[in-house]
Amino acid sequence: MYELNCAGIIPGCERVIRAESQAEVVRRAVVQARQLGFEKITPALLDSFREKTTELPN
């Protein structure tokens, strides 16, 4: 299981995103960013999502 707290990445986001894969966490973070008004998802933003995603212990 992977987790991303998007509060420090996407202004106005207080959501913690969890999914079975890092790719799914990033995909959900992109959806969340678009819902909060981000029209363009930059490579730097994607890198932030990947860097801040943590793997939870089993």
Side-chain angles (χ1 to χ4, degrees), residues 11-56:
C13 182
E14 296 180 19
R15 185 171 172 208
V16 176
I17 300 168
R18 291 184 187 95
E20 291 298 321
S21 69
Q22 183 180 24
E24 180 61 16
V25 168
V26 171
R27 188 194 72 74
R28 291 179 186 182
V30 167
V31 170
Q32 182 69 30
R34 288 195 174 128
Q35 289 175 347
L36 291 171
F38 281 73
E39 293 181 16
K40 184 175 180 185
I41 306 300
T42 65
L45 185 58
L46 289 173
D47 287 344
S48 292
F49 292 155
R50 288 185 197 100
E51 290 169 9
K52 304 282 184 180
T53 299
T54 57
E55 186 172 7
L56 299 175

